[in-house]
């Protein structure tokens, strides 16, 4: 990776252990940042540069605590970049919540992405949860078509769940999966209790883009912070690849880069 943070060790994750590091598909594409803000700033700058060179860029945007700093850093840069022509597609949405519900991902992105960046509401497309309830297959197909009609995703932002999910592709997801309704994993629901107040209040289903949808993006930036993510991240870095840790299914994508802090990298 071109701009590896200064104090990022050459092979911080032991990806070369037991073999030639150059044989690891992720070799050179993992940055371990001393502080998460440096990861957030790096990725925000990449987005700003992308939009400068391609004003109609199509972004894939993620929700979750991991992304808040990226959007904050992007908002700082938005003063110097014209974002009025970008389009953004989100990864997933809970079923059973109205779009106005403060816990919906639409609401999250309105308050952390659309608002601070001064975007028009129509610049962000999110899965239609009520349509997905009524006709999951049609809603899923329409979402895929919408992304394709926009020309595909130029840069996809991704977090990772403690269980290795990306978007709501829960353990057991297939590399060929496309947008669909999925039952949420219990680890995912437990991790959402902090937001919803109780386990009973956490939705049981969501609509999510698939692994194959994510693999269609030209570039993917996966960010992970904190030691709670180290086990899942370790599987991405060292394998084996398998649907039990869905993020590993992205390893072969040549545009995938990981930005980690020391905790997520499994370093002290
Ligand atoms: P987080 O979620 O950013 O809130 O940790 C990431 C994810 O589950 O994909």
């Amino acid at each position: 990776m071109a701009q590896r943070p200064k104090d990022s060790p050459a092979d911080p994750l032991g990806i070369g252990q037991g073999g030639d590091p150059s044989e690891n598909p992720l070799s050179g594409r993992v940055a371990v940042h001393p502080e998460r803000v440096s990861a957030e700033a790096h990725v925000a700058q990449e987005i700003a540069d992308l939009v400068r060179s391609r004003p109609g860029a199509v972004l894939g945007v993620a929700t979750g605590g991991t992304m808040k700093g990226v959007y904050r850093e992007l908002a700082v840069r938005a003063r110097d970049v014209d974002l009025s022509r970008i389009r953004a597609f989100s990864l997933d949405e809970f079923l059973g919540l109205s779009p106005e519900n403060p816990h919906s991902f639409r609401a999250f992105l309105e308050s952390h992405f659309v608002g601070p960046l001064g975007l028009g509401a129509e610049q962000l497309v999110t899965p239609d949860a009520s349509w997905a309830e009524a006709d999951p297959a049609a809603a899923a197909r329409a979402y895929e078509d919408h992304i394709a009609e926009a020309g595909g995703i130029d840069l996809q932002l991704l977090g990772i769940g403690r269980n290795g999910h990306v978007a709501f592709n829960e353990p057991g997801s297939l590399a060929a999966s496309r947008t669909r309704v999925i039952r949420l994993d219990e680890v995912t629901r437990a991790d959402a209790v902090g937001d919803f107040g109780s386990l009973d209040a956490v939705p049981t289903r969501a609509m999510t883009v698939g692994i194959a949808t994510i693999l269609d993006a030209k570039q993917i930036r996966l960010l992970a912070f904190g030691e709670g993510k180290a086990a899942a991240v370790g599987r991405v870095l060292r394998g084996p690849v398998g649907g039990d840790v869905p993020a590993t299914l992205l390893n072969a994508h040549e545009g995938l880069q990981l930005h980690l802090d020391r905790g997520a990298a499994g370093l002290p």
Side-chain angles (χ1 to χ4, degrees):
M1 185 176 302
Q3 297 113 315
R4 198 171 61 207
K6 274 193 217 65
D7 68 347
S8 179
D11 184 16
L13 309 162
I15 55 181
Q17 275 171 19
D20 178 354
S22 64
E23 283 173 14
N24 188 304
L26 284 170
S27 186
R29 296 196 278 132
V30 181
V32 182
H33 297 259
E35 305 288 344
R36 64 182 280 174
V37 67
S38 118
E40 294 159 352
H42 177 98
V43 173
Q45 188 59 45
E46 269 198 292
I47 297 170
D49 291 344
L50 168 68
V51 176
R52 228 175 251 120
S53 67
R54 189 172 160 78
V58 181
L59 302 179
V61 291
T63 49
T66 307
M67 292 300 142
K68 288 183 184 172
V70 176
Y71 300 142
R72 213 166 30 234
E73 290 288 330
L74 190 54
V76 172
R77 288 158 180 79
R79 296 175 199 140
D80 305 319
V81 190
D82 177 11
L83 298 173
S84 64
R85 289 170 56 198
I86 67 163
R87 314 260 329 255
F89 288 85
S90 73
L91 289 166
D92 43 17
E93 184 58 279
F94 292 113
L95 297 199
L97 304 181
S98 72
E100 299 76 39
N101 186 304
H103 299 306
S104 76
F105 286 161
R106 176 87 208 180
F108 177 99
L109 286 165
E110 294 278 356
S111 74
H112 294 283
F113 179 72
V114 173
L117 270 58
L119 304 180
E122 74 292 347
Q123 287 180 265
L124 170 69
V125 184
T126 55
D128 184 330
S130 48
W131 190 8
E133 294 259 30
D135 190 343
R141 222 172 19 248
Y143 203 63
E144 291 274 342
D145 288 349
H146 209 147
I147 294 172
E149 280 157 20
I153 306 282
D154 291 306
L155 189 149
Q156 177 67 60
L157 292 171
L158 275 185
I160 181 171
R162 278 193 304 133
N163 60 1
H165 74 198
V166 279
F168 275 142
N169 292 283
E170 300 289 21
S173 294
L174 302 176
S177 56
R178 289 275 165 191
T179 302
R180 65 206 186 282
V181 167
I182 194 161
R183 186 156 292 281
L184 295 173
D185 187 67
E186 287 314 307
V187 172
T188 299
R189 294 189 68 237
D191 282 349
V193 168
D195 290 332
F196 283 86
S198 75
L199 188 59
D200 283 348
V202 179
T204 55
R205 293 180 308 144
M207 175 127 149
T208 182
V209 299
I211 297 289
T213 322
I214 295 171
L215 287 169
D216 282 344
K218 295 182 187 79
Q219 293 290 326
I220 303 173
R221 297 294 175 268
L222 192 153
L223 289 81
F225 305 127
E227 56 194 34
K229 304 288 174 75
V233 168
R235 269 289 297 273
V236 176
L237 296 168
R238 292 182 286 276
V241 169
D244 59 322
V245 180
T248 64
L249 302 173
L250 305 177
N251 282 17
H253 192 294
E254 291 187 353
L256 171 67
Q257 294 183 5
L258 280 82
H259 289 275
L260 313 171
D261 68 0
R262 296 183 67 85
L267 297 171

